[in-house]
């Protein structure tokens, strides 16, 4: 089978299309004939070997695929090694794709959608009327988080994104206002002040952050008492200022982290979340933003575009193109 393999750590240049042996079903894992695979920012971290989980060379990147199982069912699954024509998947993280749901939507729901759901429901326990800040709001998770926050009754949604087109996209999806996180001097105080101003001078209730660095620092400073910040990425590759226990106690603020791997181990796994998200999609309350479809041989270009922040929404590799 054809696959994209990483044999040394680095940037997009280390992605190579190679021929590998077909995987053999084992230990309850099922074979999926892949039609498309998702591309995520986490894939860049894996390739550079600065991801949460250590990588062992060589490896095939990719965390989610859509395709057909051995029974001919169209399914979407969380996997390891998704940039390939065939992959093994665990039944607990494999879900049937309803008729009328395209590849992009299926791939977005199973990873970015379930992430956005848990950020708002599990980590921050969003209540109706609260102000929600969504950083990187034009990205895969951000576009869905904005829509979910709107569907679930957020009082105000403040989006941040790096270009006018991305900010317009966030507003079209339901954000009340969209800011440039890199505006002014880049000082965290400027971003904090911008967040407060966007909320009519009041501190915010919830922040979803995958950037780190000064964005995290400014967001923490903008939190109201009992406000919650959840971090689920470090795209800037700059760690935030450490938060002390005293800083949390004296302001009644909370900081938490999220990694989707742990959500798969909750009672019921991801199945109820995927079912709810697909129902929202069917009702017209949730849509995946198609960010680009690349042939498998152009995986490098997909990584370059993602790293350069030229993309929005969900990126997809067409395995057979």
């Amino acid at each position: 089978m054809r696959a994209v393999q990483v044999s040394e750590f680095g940037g997009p240049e280390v992605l190579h299309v190679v021929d590998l042996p077909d995987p053999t079903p084992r230990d309850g894992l099922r074979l999926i004939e892949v039609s498309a695979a998702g591309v995520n920012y986490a894939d860049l971290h894996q390739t550079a070997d600065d991801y949460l989980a250590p990588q062992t060379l060589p490896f095939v990147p990719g965390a989610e695929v859509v395709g057909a199982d051995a029974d001919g069912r169209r399914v979407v699954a969380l996997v390891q090694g998704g940039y390939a024509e065939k992959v093994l998947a665990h039944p607990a993280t494999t879900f049937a794709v309803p008729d009328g749901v395209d590849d992009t939507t299926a791939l977005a729901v199973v990873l970015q959608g379930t992430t956005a759901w848990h950020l708002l429901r599990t980590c921050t326990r969003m209540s109706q009327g609260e102000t929600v800040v969504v950083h990187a709001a034009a990205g895969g998770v951000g576009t869905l988080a904005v829509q979910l926050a709107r569907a679930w009754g957020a009082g105000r949604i403040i989006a941040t994104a790096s270009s006018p087109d991305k900010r317009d996209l966030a507003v079209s999806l339901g954000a009340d206002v969209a800011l440039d996180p890199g505006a002014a001097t880049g000082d965290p105080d400027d971003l904090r002040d911008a967040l407060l101003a966007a909320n009519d001078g009041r501190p915010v209730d919830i922040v979803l952050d995958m950037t780190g660095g000064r964005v995290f620092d400014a967001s923490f400073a903008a939190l109201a008492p009992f406000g919650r910040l959840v971090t689920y990425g470090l795209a800037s590759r700059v760690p935030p200022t450490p938060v002390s226990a005293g800083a949390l106690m004296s302001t009644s603020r909370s900081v938490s982290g999220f990694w989707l791997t742990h959500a798969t181990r909750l009672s019921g796994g991801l199945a109820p979340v995927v079912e709810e998200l697909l129902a929202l999609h069917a009702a017209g309350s949730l849509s995946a933003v198609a960010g680009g479809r690349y042939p498998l041989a152009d995986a490098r270009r997909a990584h370059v575009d993602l790293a350069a922040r030229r993309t929005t929404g969900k990126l997809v590799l067409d395995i057979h193109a």
Side-chain angles (χ1 to χ4, degrees), residues 78-101:
L78 294 177
V79 299
Q80 293 181 341
Y83 293 10
E85 291 180 327
K86 299 178 183 179
V87 68
L88 300 180
H90 194 284
T93 56
T94 301
F95 312 96
V97 179
D99 293 341
V101 175

Side-chain angles (χ1 to χ4, degrees), residues 24 40 54 106 112 115 142 145 166 178-179 197 205 208 237 257 263 278 282:
T24 302
N40 305 292
Q112 280 95 349
T115 295
K166 290 182 177 183
L179 309 175
D205 300 303
L208 312 183
R237 290 183 164 84
L278 288 173

Side-chain angles (χ1 to χ4, degrees), residues 89-281:
H90 194 284
T93 56
T94 301
F95 312 96
V97 179
D99 293 341
V101 175
D102 62 22
D103 288 352
T104 298
T105 299
L107 292 167
V109 161
V110 77
L111 195 146
Q112 280 95 349
T114 55
T115 295
W117 191 99
H118 277 289
L119 292 173
L120 290 168
R121 288 293 201 216
T122 306
C123 298
T124 62
R125 293 176 171 82
M126 190 201 96
S127 297
Q128 287 192 356
E130 290 193 305
T131 297
V132 179
V133 177
V134 181
H135 292 302
V141 173
T143 52
L144 297 173
V146 167
Q147 294 176 74
L148 290 177
R150 177 56 63 213
W152 293 338
R156 190 164 184 79
I157 301 171
I158 302 169
T160 73
S162 60
S163 72
D165 287 347
K166 290 182 177 183
R167 293 191 288 276
D168 288 345
L169 172 62
V171 171
S172 74
L173 294 173
D176 294 286
V177 62
L179 309 175
D180 179 359
T185 65
D187 188 302
D189 288 344
D190 292 333
L191 180 54
R192 178 204 60 197
D193 293 345
L195 293 174
L196 297 176
N199 198 36
D200 297 328
R202 295 175 287 108
V204 303
D205 300 303
I206 290 172
V207 178
L208 312 183
D209 176 46
M210 54 81 69
T211 303
R214 72 174 189 88
V215 172
F216 179 107
D217 295 346
S219 299
F220 179 71
L223 280 181
F226 304 106
R228 293 88 72 200
L229 184 156
V230 57
T231 175
Y232 65 101
L234 196 66
S236 69
R237 290 183 164 84
V238 177
T241 303
V243 177
S244 69
L248 297 175
M249 289 188 293
S250 64
T251 58
S252 295
R253 300 167 183 169
S254 300
V255 174
S256 63
F258 179 74
W259 189 19
L260 186 62
T261 295
H262 297 122
T264 65
R265 303 168 189 167
L266 296 174
S267 177
L270 293 179
V273 179
V274 171
E275 182 178 349
E276 180 178 346
L277 293 172
L278 288 173
L280 287 169
H281 171 71

